[in-house]
Amino acid sequence: MLDLMKARLIKYFRSPLFYIAAIVSLASGIYGGVYCTFFKNETDTVINCRADDMWMLTAIWAGIILVSMCAGREFSDGTIRNKIAVGHTKTVVFLAEVIVAVIMTGIIYLLNIVPTAIGGWYFINGIPMLSAMKWFVNIFLTFEFMSILAVTVTFLLSKRAVSVVAAFALHFVLYIIVGFTDGYYYNIDEPRFGTQTFYIMYEDGTVEETEQEFENRYYIEGLPKALVQIEHAVNPMYGLEDALNFGFVPDKTMVDDYVLKQEQNRIRDLNLDVIKMLAYCLAVSLLGAVLFRKKDLK
């Protein structure tokens, strides 16, 4: 397997696609870091992550295309058959590709996350060290899961162009689902009705305070609420979203019980995501190896 991995690493580093993906990841990371700096003076009683997921998603997309294109070339060039013909098993060939993809995706991740973290230093520095480590790990595992998924899709479809489209589409669907449900999930404990306070200043300098009732458009209960919670638990893209929605309260005496409960929920989600994403990465790797071993390459 080491010889296979070495050969694949050399091909990756010789491919212009890797350097294009690296530049895209670095550029999006720099933009994301600059974006974070705009909020450095807005830290209040709750320290929230200000990173925009779009710039991390751009790096993930670059990684998916890189891995799918490079893995797909093994089929278009007939290299897979040659490896098996000289005695390598399908399982070893597949796992070697997964490990190399993980290494290359790790580089893509670092190019993106380092400038983002530099720009958002006030957030990283303001939360507990253990939470910061889990924050980095969750985002890293999201990158790696999509990379492993891209390898699996490519090896099972065995067609370069089709695999790139399928892997990208699968990720896009998972993310779109999150986009539809995250508003409901992150407001799941909010009441159905609330009040907003408005202040009107008149020309004579007097201020009038008025309250207006509004209905929470994200309020759900019963089966819809259960489905949103289930979707949050199983959708791998929530590892990234939970990290970017993380919040920490430095001084617990400055907030009410509701805010403290929200903080506990964010910490809980971050902890569960580490376990969930690790399990997904291992499960897809093993499932891909089993299915590829049964695949007829003729």
Side-chain angles (χ1 to χ4, degrees), residues 26-37 50-52 55 112 115-116 119-120:
L26 179 61
S28 60
I30 292 174
Y31 194 97
V34 172
Y35 176 84
C36 287
T37 62
R50 298 296 187 176
D52 189 336
W55 308 113
N112 182 267
T116 300

Side-chain angles (χ1 to χ4, degrees), residues 187 190-200 208-217:
N187 291 278
E190 294 282 353
R192 184 168 186 171
F193 297 98
T195 57
Q196 288 180 317
T197 302
F198 298 92
Y199 297 93
I200 303 174
E208 180 182 352
E209 178 181 323
T210 61
E211 288 190 350
Q212 182 177 343
E213 187 179 66
F214 69 94
E215 184 173 3
N216 178 15
R217 68 188 182 94

Side-chain angles (χ1 to χ4, degrees), residues 48-207:
N48 292 308
C49 175
R50 298 296 187 176
D52 189 336
D53 61 353
M54 180 52 63
W55 308 113
M56 293 182 184
L57 288 171
T58 301
I60 292 175
W61 294 338
I64 290 173
I65 295 173
L66 169 67
V67 169
S68 296
M69 291 290 287
C70 290
R73 187 170 182 177
E74 293 289 281
F75 290 91
S76 60
D77 292 349
T79 310
I80 289 288
R81 292 188 180 89
N82 293 338
K83 291 178 179 179
I84 295 173
V86 298
H88 297 293
T89 65
K90 292 179 182 177
T91 300
V92 168
V93 171
F94 175 82
L95 292 179
E97 189 70 32
V98 167
I99 294 172
V100 171
V102 165
I103 294 172
M104 302 309 295
T105 302
I107 298 174
I108 297 297
Y109 163 78
L110 288 174
L111 289 171
N112 182 267
I113 202 66
V114 170
T116 300
I118 292 173
W121 62 269
Y122 54 90
F123 166 74
I124 302 299
N125 186 59
I127 65 177
M129 182 179 295
L130 184 58
S131 293
M133 292 174 60
K134 292 175 182 177
W135 187 86
F136 282 111
V137 168
N138 272 327
I139 298 174
F140 170 72
L141 290 176
T142 302
F143 273 70
E144 295 297 358
F145 173 76
M146 297 314 305
S147 173
I148 294 170
L149 191 62
V151 172
T152 302
V153 169
T154 302
F155 267 60
L156 294 181
L157 295 179
S158 305
K159 294 183 182 296
R160 191 181 188 187
V162 175
S163 299
V164 173
V165 174
F168 187 87
L170 186 56
H171 167 266
F172 192 71
V173 168
L174 290 172
Y175 178 68
I176 288 296
I177 293 174
V178 169
F180 279 118
T181 62
D182 62 349
Y184 295 99
Y185 180 77
Y186 293 124
N187 291 278
I188 210 161
D189 293 323
E190 294 282 353
R192 184 168 186 171
F193 297 98
T195 57
Q196 288 180 317
T197 302
F198 298 92
Y199 297 93
I200 303 174
M201 178 175 288
Y202 296 100
E203 293 181 356
D204 60 0
T206 59
V207 177

